[in-house]
Amino acid sequence: MKTLIVAFGGNALIKKGQKGTAEEQLENLKKPLGSIADLLKNHKLIITHGNGPQVGNILLQQTSNTEVPQMPLDICVAQSQGQIGYMIEHALDQVLTDRGIGDDHLFLTVLSYVHVSSTDPAFQNPSKPIGPAYPENKSKEFGYPMKKTAKGWRRVVPSPLPEKIYQRREIKKLLEDNFIIITCGGGGIPVTKENGKIKGIEAVIDKDLASAKLGEHVKANILLMVTDVEGAAINFGKDNQKFLKEIKLVDLKKYQSEGQFADGSMGPKVQAAINFLESGGEKAIICNINKIGEATLGTSGTQITK
Ligand code: ADP
Ligand code: MG
């Protein structure tokens, strides 16, 4: 049995142009989870996922009501892990039951905190936009850093590097017992330590980098990053754009050093693939959400090996 980590991008839950109702999100999950159910015969499985739109909605719900106290970002991330974990479990239950194997697999969502260094340089440069967009005059009312984006003025938070997942030992035990584990949602709840005690912080960790770190902790064999394009491309968006198929780590690093993979989107996926392979993983794959089965067989997506 190989251990497979599937990292779902935002489009697994909400497609472009959708509002993101509960019904839409549950329906969207069925197809990719169906493909994943087919992999359970020969894989132990961990599912990780993004939370951008969901945590954005939680923040909007908070700011549109002044009667209840606002929660800090780490608690909002925890909330999003709960709601998305439940939706993934719900859809998983449906696809497994449809296949007549509803009683064969146990699954569990694990709330996860991820340690980041309080001296991470990201804290000097909050760069990750989160939550709703506001007009410029309104943006001055908030007590946190805001940045102008294509959508309007948005809150920005630091995006520090994941150093350690606190629940790694629990996750390992669950894997040994063949649980399907849903964890590291939204990159995990960012925490640092103060006087030896954990302390939640207002930041967002990249979910692909967190998934690679988890892979290192549990000695996963394969990291499958599922997104809305066919894989990693060179000359992305240009006439001579070319999606990479099978590629060795050294060649991928060469393209990375040329700046072929955009920060905040394909960049972290490529970096996660590199980190995963350099820390003992066998294979990293970046693939389209509709081609999960083919990608695990090696016939679709960007297949990266040492
Ligand atoms: P996810 O929610 O799956 O993490 P992202 O938006 O973060 O999705 O990353 C996928 C996006 O990366 C693609 O939709 C594409 O627009 C963008 N992208 C940037 N550079 C590249 C590249 N070199 N090759 C492929 N996609 C790229
Ligand atoms: Mg992303």
Side-chain angles (χ1 to χ4, degrees), residues 260-282:
Q260 292 281 0
F261 313 113
D263 286 347
S265 57
M266 194 47 68
K269 290 186 203 304
V270 165
Q271 188 61 53
I274 294 169
N275 295 354
F276 180 68
L277 294 177
E278 289 186 339
S279 63
E282 279 166 32

Side-chain angles (χ1 to χ4, degrees), residues 8-10 50 128 206-208 227 264-266 268-269:
F8 277 124
K128 171 86 182 157
D206 181 83
K207 66 121 189 356
D208 294 309
T227 187
S265 57
M266 194 47 68
K269 290 186 203 304

